[in-house]
Amino acid sequence: MHAETLLTETLIGAVRPEHPLTKLKTVTPKRFAAADHIVVSRRGRAHGPIDEQLAGMGLSRRIIAVVPSFASALRLARETDVVCAAPARLGRSMLAALGLRTFPIPLALPDIAIGMAWHPRNHHDRTHALLRERTRHIMTTSARP
């Protein structure tokens, strides 16, 4: 397989405007952990780096659902009192369109790498190369500050 990192992304917390966390001046790890959470995982994994960081502080969070995409997680966050971790730059337009409020996640999380991968048989295919070039362009322009 060929693979290429397109960009790195920072995760932020996203909630509906009426969520109790929006009334706080600062979201602490304890208050962050006390909220209900929705997790995005294509593989159905409920726990990850956020949970590892919280565990190191003696905290854990209540995960009420695991969904396969940020789009579905953000739509649920708009309708319910759950916290969703979302990509800060790539999610910007959807966060705004849904009217969600964002805040820095109060943990030392690593950035996430967003990339693409393709089979070697497609590496020299001109149409596939054009698709990869357009994908690069869209991803980098969408992620601009």
Side-chain angles (χ1 to χ4, degrees):
M1 295 296 288
H2 292 277
E4 177 181 336
T5 298
L6 299 172
L7 56 99
T8 57
E9 184 65 281
T10 302
L11 291 177
I12 55 175
V15 294
R16 68 188 187 105
E18 301 82 15
H19 192 284
L21 289 180
T22 63
K23 295 167 182 42
L24 302 173
K25 184 174 182 172
T26 304
V27 177
T28 64
K30 186 175 182 179
R31 289 181 172 154
F32 177 75
D36 290 339
H37 291 258
I38 187 160
V39 172
V40 177
S41 172
R42 291 185 333 256
R43 295 181 177 140
R45 295 181 181 155
H47 297 282
I50 290 175
D51 304 287
E52 292 168 13
Q53 291 276 331
L54 290 172
M57 299 174 178
L59 301 169
S60 63
R61 62 183 176 158
R62 184 178 144 191
I63 298 168
I64 63 162
V66 178
V67 296
S69 72
F70 284 109
S72 56
L74 293 175
R75 289 188 184 282
L76 286 170
R78 182 180 76 174
E79 303 299 327
T80 63
D81 276 341
V82 297
V83 175
C84 173
R89 293 176 297 158
L90 288 175
R92 183 176 44 230
S93 62
M94 188 167 191
L95 291 163
L98 293 173
L100 295 173
R101 301 281 171 85
T102 62
F103 60 90
I105 295 176
L107 304 169
L109 295 174
D111 285 343
I112 57 172
I114 308 292
M116 65 178 166
W118 60 96
H119 194 277
R121 74 173 164 258
N122 296 322
H123 188 67
H124 297 291
D125 180 275
R126 290 171 37 120
T127 304
H128 201 274
L130 177 62
L131 174 65
R132 293 191 309 268
E133 186 278 322
R134 297 305 306 153
T135 301
R136 276 184 210 96
H137 175 75
I138 290 167
M139 294 294 284
T140 56
T141 57
S142 297
R144 286 188 185 138

